Amino acid sequence: MTASTRAIILKASLATALSIAASLGLALTVVPMLGGVVDGTAWLMCILCPLLIAWPASAWQFRQAQRLKDAHGEIARLHGALSAAHEALLERARRDGLTGLLNRESFLVDLGQAMTADSKGTLLFIDADHFKQVNDRFGHPVGDDALRRLAQAIAGAVGASGFSGRLCGEEFAVYLPQTVLTEAEAVAKQVLDAVRRLRIEAPGGEPVSLTVSIGAAGWAGGTTIEHLIAEADAQLYRAKMQGRNRAACALNMAAVA
């Protein structure tokens, strides 16, 4: 017997007992006033009628109330599951299918929301050096694995200090809210070091080495997202021209030996 069934029986029994008490009270009050006598038959009727009528009616009513409560609970549960599935679907739509980072559209949306009038931050553009050679030499499956590992290294180096996205191909971006260029240089160096420490092997055991170039642009209000992106892209090109495997920003350049 379930707990809900026991509760229904208890409540129906209590309602029946109250009904018997009410019947007896009325009989003992009204019948003498009308000149009658409450005899054994009257006592029996005052007990049997509530037992035969009140108990089944109360049990049915409490059962219906419990079923309605259970239905409401199930609806609430399904609504919660649907909301969770909807949120998961929305989040999945925001992510790049290969790397799990934010896709280009979602990254740019979050970047625009982060660039508020009273905030500052630094945008990093990250590009894998000579990545076409990885695909050409080892094949696209190895290239895909390298991109996944590269994304993990970037996200791990950035941590909770910012958010990361894959713009396209082997191009990634990181935004560091409330971080000026001089502070962002340390994060860029962490990314460079994390990528250099990656140990990726082709199916035959041949190591696949990766490096990245990084362009950094700072923002402190007074300009547009397009200008910030253009500046980060210009600094990325500068890092490439200076020999790759390094981070360049508008003020200075940090190279990794």
Side-chain angles (χ1 to χ4, degrees), residues 138-167:
F138 302 106
H140 286 281
V142 174
D144 288 347
D145 181 56
L147 287 175
R148 282 190 290 266
R149 298 283 300 279
L150 178 57
Q152 292 171 1
I154 293 172
V158 173
S161 61
F163 54 89
S164 312
R166 182 188 181 196
L167 300 183

Side-chain angles (χ1 to χ4, degrees), residues 152-230:
Q152 292 171 1
I154 293 172
V158 173
S161 61
F163 54 89
S164 312
R166 182 188 181 196
L167 300 183
C168 64
E170 65 274 15
E171 298 178 8
F172 300 84
V174 170
Y175 187 68
L176 305 169
Q178 304 303 320
T179 304
V180 298
L181 273 172
T182 53
E183 298 169 334
E185 287 181 10
V187 178
K189 186 177 185 304
Q190 291 173 3
V191 172
L192 291 169
D193 292 341
V195 173
R196 293 180 62 192
R197 288 195 300 268
L198 287 176
R199 295 295 179 264
I200 305 173
E201 291 186 354
E206 185 175 355
V208 180
S209 60
L210 284 179
T211 62
V212 294
S213 298
I214 303 175
W219 184 84
T223 187
T224 63
I225 185 173
E226 291 79 13
H227 184 273
L228 179 66
I229 290 173

